[in-house]
């Protein structure tokens, strides 16, 4: 482990490889750990663009009402409450943009990046209050607008971390044909965290958007549409605690070891092997406080002859015969060199750490097998490494199942999912590993059972599970309570608890507030027009004889504008007075 805030550690499947043995798949677990929130030196300012679906279906009820006389809150009402929660929880150094969309981006409901520390918080809240549900659903133009907002940042603000949050309850109604190639070209710049609301959304498209942008896909099922704020809180708890950006880990084969990197299991994170297996890299990017990312390095390790065990294989603790170049003690072989880099703030210099070696012992065969009353006791593999091997293999099975089911659904009209296929694949997987000591499969089996059960209602649960495990990051899988426990950080858990304490969404509106805001906007517009009137009625030198007529029109225009402003001020005062009388009214106490 490094003493730096971001730490890297490695664990080999075995600490020892017999000298004469060739191991064609020797696994090394690579763990990258971000510091806890308490160790962060300050808040990492972020730019968030919220892409909000305001199509007609968002006006559908979010929950059933027990009172026939009370109108139940709509999905849009629940979304508004969730956005108010986000606006309140963002820090003063953060910025927020709202891109509302239906058949395309709706400009009157959208904003540029607003500084939360200034009037931005109030402006964002008002924009959310004005949202109305109408029209169809066209997602891609809204995503492109969100990317344009982040691309248009200038100066030092371009160094800030940018995120996009997309919330939608429906499939694209424009006839747009989703494909990974189109999505990657459009959204690969910034992480897009997608949220599907209800059963009608396109989980395939939202998962692809998340995968191609290194974001996550969450969903809220029909029974939990009043808990959108909690689902968003899982994501927000991470965004508010960014600990490092630009995180990369480099892996190089140690000189003279003869080893070769075959591949790296990295899930949804980019990794590649170069120079014929001599080096590789894992690109992680953003780390949230308290997160741990695990990757598996697969090595080909050849046999080591006695004559080849020279000082190039030894660590500093080994005693060597400098004449024969033979190691006489531990016979440690350096397999890999690990280095990594990251930045702890947008403007900070890159921190680079290298020279971390991965060693294994290469003894003679007889020292590897220990006699035990005439038997043979073989060294057991690391349970922790085995557990991650199982996790990555299961992820490959489930992700492959998802892709195959999508292909089947596209070619048929039945839209029937085959949960028994996934169940059979799991049973075969478990039987093949039933004798793996130290591996806990019961907990994993419960996850598989939940996925098989969920397939009766579609691929949403499987999609979110794949997203969570590919990115090793918590996602809401139907509700805020259904998350992968191993990926949720203390900050995420705390944020979800705050969201759960919120009162349920309501459809009630205060028209006084809406009218007051409208009047305020009109007054701002009249003031702007009044300032521009003198420029509009300014005679040119060639029109000197018309100056008197121009002055008359100018004065008449200013007088009309003044009357309109006086009327709006009067309306504002009247409605403020009514609200004051209404707020001052109190119901009598019981019994009086």
């Amino acid at each position: 482990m490094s003493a730096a805030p971001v730490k890297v550690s490695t664990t080999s499947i075995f600490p020892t490889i017999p000298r004469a043995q060739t191991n064609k798949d020797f696994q090394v677990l690579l763990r990258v750990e971000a510091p806890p929130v308490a160790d962060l030196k300050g808040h990492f300012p972020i730019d968030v663009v919220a892409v909000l679906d305001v199509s007609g279906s968002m006006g559908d009820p979010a929950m059933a009402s027990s009172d026939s006389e009370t109108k139940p809150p709509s999905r849009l009402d629940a979304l508004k409450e969730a956005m108010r929660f986000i606006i309140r929880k963002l820090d003063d150094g953060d910025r927020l943009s709202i891109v509302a969309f239906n058949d395309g981006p709706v400009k009157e409901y959208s904003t540029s990046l607003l500084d939360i520390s200034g009037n931005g918080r109030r402006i964002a809240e008002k924009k959310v209050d004005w949202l109305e549900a109408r029209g169809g659903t066209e997602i891609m133009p809204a995503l492109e607008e969100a990317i344009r907002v982040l691309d248009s940042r200038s100066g030092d603000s371009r160094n800030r971390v940018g995120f996009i949050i997309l919330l939608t309850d429906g499939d694209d109604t424009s006839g747009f044909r989703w494909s990974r190639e189109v999505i990657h070209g459009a959204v690969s710049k910034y992480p897009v965290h997608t949220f599907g609301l209800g059963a009608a959304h396109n989980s395939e498209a939202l998962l692809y958007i998340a995968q191609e942008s290194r974001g996550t896909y969450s969903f809220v099922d029909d029974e939990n549409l009043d808990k959108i704020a909690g689902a968003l809180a899982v994501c927000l708890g991470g965004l508010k605690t960014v600990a490092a950006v630009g995180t990369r880990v480099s892996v190089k084969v140690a000189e003279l070891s003869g080893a070769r990197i075959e591949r790296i299991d990295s899930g949804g994170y980019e990794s590649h092997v170069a120079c014929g297996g001599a080096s590789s890299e894992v690109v992680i990017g953003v780390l949230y406080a308290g997160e741990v990312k695990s990757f598996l390095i697969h090595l080909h390790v050849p046999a080591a002859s006695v004559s080849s065990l020279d000082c190039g294989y030894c660590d500093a603790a080994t005693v060597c015969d400098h004449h024969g170049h033979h190691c006489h003690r531990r016979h440690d072989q350096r397999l890999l060199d690990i280095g990594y880099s990251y930045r702890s703030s947008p403007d900070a210099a890159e921190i680079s750490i290298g020279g971390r070696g991965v060693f294994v012992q290469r003894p003679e065969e007889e020292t590897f097998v220990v006699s035990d009353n005439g038997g043979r006791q073989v060294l057991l593999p690391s349970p922790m490494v085995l557990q991650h091997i199982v996790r990555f293999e299961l992820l490959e099975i489930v992700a492959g199942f998802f892709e195959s089911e999508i292909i089947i659904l596209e070619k048929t009209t039945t839209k029937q999912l085959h949960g028994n296929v996934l169940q059979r694949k799991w049973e075969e997987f478990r039987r093949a590993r039933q004798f793996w000591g130290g591996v806990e499969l019961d907990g994993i089996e419960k996850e598989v059972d939940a996925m098989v059960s969920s397939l009766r209602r579609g691929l949403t649960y499987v999609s979110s599970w794949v997203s969570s495990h590919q990115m090793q990051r918590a996602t809401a899988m139907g509700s805020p309570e259904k998350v992968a426990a191993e990926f949720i950080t203390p900050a995420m858990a705390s944020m979800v608890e705050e969201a759960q304490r919120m009162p349920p969404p309501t459809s009630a509106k205060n028209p006084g507030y809406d009218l007051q805001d409208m009047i305020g906007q009109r007054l701002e517009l009249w003031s702007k027009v009044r300032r521009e009137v003198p420029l509009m009625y300014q005679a040119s030198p060639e029109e000197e004889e018309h100056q008197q007529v121009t002055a008359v029109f100018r004065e008449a225009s200013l007088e009309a504008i003044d009357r309109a402003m006086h009327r709006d001020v009067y309306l504002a005062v009247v409605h403020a007075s009514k609200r004051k009388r209404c707020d001052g009214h109190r119901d009598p106490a019981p019994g009086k």
Side-chain angles (χ1 to χ4, degrees):
M1 299 288 284
S2 167
V6 173
K7 300 175 181 180
V8 171
S9 62
T10 56
T11 305
S12 301
I13 182 71
F14 293 107
T16 302
I17 305 176
R19 187 177 301 172
Q21 178 180 309
T22 295
N23 196 317
K24 296 182 179 180
D25 190 15
F26 186 80
Q27 299 96 346
V28 176
L29 176 64
L30 173 70
R31 288 166 58 86
V32 182
E33 181 180 354
V37 172
D39 290 354
L40 298 184
K41 294 182 179 179
H43 173 65
F44 216 121
I46 58 175
D47 289 340
V48 180
V49 182
V51 182
L52 309 179
D53 187 348
V54 293
S55 61
S57 57
M58 288 296 291
D60 294 343
M63 54 192 294
S65 176
S66 57
D67 185 355
S68 59
E69 297 181 359
T70 303
K71 181 181 178 182
S74 67
R75 297 178 178 184
L76 188 58
D77 291 326
L79 176 60
K80 288 181 179 183
E81 284 297 321
M83 282 304 302
R84 293 186 191 104
F85 176 76
I86 285 185
I87 292 168
R88 289 196 302 270
K89 298 309 297 181
L90 286 174
D91 290 306
D92 284 347
D94 300 330
R95 297 190 298 184
L96 173 68
S97 170
I98 295 172
V99 175
F101 73 96
N102 42 43
D103 296 301
V106 185
K107 292 186 177 180
E108 59 265 35
Y109 297 156
S110 303
T111 72
S112 58
L113 279 170
L114 303 170
D115 288 308
I116 293 297
S117 56
N119 291 327
R121 203 183 303 269
R122 181 184 62 83
I123 295 172
E125 288 176 343
K126 296 306 178 186
K127 285 289 185 180
V128 168
D129 289 341
W130 295 336
L131 295 177
E132 293 183 1
R134 61 175 184 268
T137 305
E138 195 166 350
I139 298 174
M140 190 55 75
L143 276 178
E144 291 171 345
E145 175 63 17
I147 292 166
R148 188 198 64 77
V149 169
L150 293 174
D151 279 349
S152 63
R153 296 175 295 176
S154 60
D156 293 339
S157 66
R158 294 186 67 87
N159 296 329
R160 296 163 66 100
V161 187
F163 298 101
I164 297 173
I165 298 175
L166 167 65
L167 296 100
T168 180
D169 74 332
D171 197 358
D172 198 296
T173 58
S174 66
F176 179 79
R177 184 68 177 174
W178 294 99
S179 70
R180 286 190 181 275
E181 292 74 19
V182 171
I183 293 173
H184 180 77
V187 302
S188 58
K189 289 184 178 180
Y190 309 100
V192 182
H193 299 286
T194 61
F195 291 81
L197 311 178
H201 72 274
N202 187 335
S203 62
E204 174 195 359
L206 295 189
L207 175 61
Y208 286 170
I209 290 170
Q211 288 174 328
E212 296 303 314
S213 66
R214 304 171 308 282
T216 55
Y217 161 66
S218 299
F219 80 99
V220 182
D221 56 33
D222 289 327
E223 293 77 18
N224 291 284
L225 285 174
D226 58 330
K227 299 179 181 179
I228 298 175
L232 279 174
V234 177
C235 178
L236 184 63
L239 301 188
K240 278 174 54 68
T241 57
V242 173
V245 296
T247 311
R248 294 172 176 264
V249 180
S250 63
V251 182
K252 294 182 179 180
V253 172
E255 190 177 359
L256 301 177
S257 69
R260 182 175 69 247
I261 302 171
E262 296 291 344
R263 74 178 193 275
I264 295 183
D265 291 335
S266 57
Y269 294 96
E270 177 188 351
S271 65
H272 57 270
V273 178
C275 303
S279 65
S280 62
E281 184 181 50
V282 181
V283 181
I284 303 170
V286 174
L287 281 173
Y288 301 155
E291 281 192 320
V292 178
K293 307 294 182 184
S294 299
F295 310 99
L296 273 176
I297 307 169
H298 295 261
L299 297 174
H300 179 280
V301 182
S305 63
V306 175
S307 59
S308 67
L309 287 174
D310 58 21
C311 293
Y313 282 76
C314 303
D315 69 354
T318 304
V319 176
C320 294
D321 176 356
H322 296 290
H323 297 288
H325 300 292
H326 298 160
C327 303
H328 295 301
R329 289 182 59 195
R330 290 169 50 191
H331 310 290
D332 283 3
Q333 181 183 22
R334 189 183 188 108
L335 287 181
L336 299 172
D337 289 312
I338 307 294
Y340 62 102
S341 61
Y342 65 95
R343 287 185 291 120
S344 57
S345 68
D347 302 321
E350 185 178 76
I351 298 172
S352 296
I353 298 170
R356 307 288 167 180
V358 177
F359 294 88
V360 292
Q361 297 178 37
R362 301 302 300 266
E364 297 289 349
E365 183 73 23
E366 58 267 20
T367 62
F368 177 64
V369 179
V370 180
S371 293
D372 184 14
N373 296 326
R376 293 166 62 86
Q377 181 179 345
V378 180
L379 190 66
L380 294 176
S382 163
M384 181 170 63
V385 178
L386 282 179
Q387 199 73 33
H388 282 87
I389 291 174
V390 169
R391 279 287 178 184
F392 276 109
E393 289 183 354
L394 179 63
L395 175 59
E396 184 177 355
I397 289 173
V398 177
F401 167 81
F402 173 84
E403 294 291 346
S404 64
E405 287 298 308
I406 287 297
I407 294 172
I408 292 172
L409 290 175
E410 288 178 346
K411 293 181 178 180
T412 63
T413 58
T414 60
K415 303 299 181 186
Q416 183 177 357
L417 295 165
H418 301 282
N420 58 323
V421 175
L422 180 59
Q423 185 70 52
R424 185 173 66 250
K425 287 179 178 290
W426 163 250
E427 290 171 355
E428 293 172 355
F429 178 86
R430 177 158 189 158
R431 279 197 302 270
R433 292 153 185 82
Q434 59 183 319
F435 299 114
W436 282 21
V439 177
E440 174 56 53
L441 295 178
D442 291 340
I444 299 176
E445 185 167 31
K446 292 179 180 178
E447 296 178 43
V448 175
D449 289 343
M451 283 188 274
V452 171
S453 176
S454 73
L455 287 171
R456 292 193 300 270
R457 298 195 294 178
L459 281 167
T460 51
Y461 188 92
V462 174
S463 303
S464 189
W465 187 95
V466 168
S467 177
S468 180
H469 285 76
Q470 282 182 336
M471 301 309 296
Q472 300 180 54
R473 188 160 279 167
T475 63
M477 294 183 281
S479 74
E481 293 81 17
K482 295 179 182 178
V483 297
E486 64 265 39
F487 301 138
I488 193 162
T489 67
M492 293 176 187
S494 176
M495 192 69 69
V496 171
E497 288 179 2
E498 287 191 53
Q500 290 173 334
R501 290 196 293 267
M502 293 174 57
T506 174
S507 62
K509 294 182 179 180
N510 189 334
Y513 282 100
D514 292 340
L515 183 59
Q516 199 79 6
D517 294 332
M518 182 189 71
I519 292 172
Q521 280 192 319
R522 284 164 58 99
L523 288 172
E524 289 181 11
L525 179 61
W526 286 130
S527 298
K528 180 181 179 181
V529 173
R530 200 180 195 287
R531 291 193 299 270
E532 294 176 353
V533 161
L535 299 176
M536 295 167 56
Y537 292 104
Q538 190 172 16
S540 64
E542 294 80 11
E543 299 174 334
E544 294 292 338
E545 66 275 12
H546 300 302
Q547 283 189 358
Q548 186 174 1
V549 176
T550 301
V552 170
F553 275 107
R554 181 174 62 243
E555 294 304 320
S557 298
L558 291 173
E559 184 178 348
I561 291 171
D562 287 341
R563 285 200 302 270
M565 292 181 72
H566 289 154
R567 184 192 63 181
D568 285 343
V569 169
Y570 170 77
L571 289 174
V573 171
V574 169
H575 281 277
S577 177
K578 287 182 179 180
R579 281 171 47 198
K580 185 177 180 180
R581 289 198 302 271
C582 194
D583 293 342
H585 173 73
R586 294 289 183 270
D587 291 332
K592 292 187 180 181

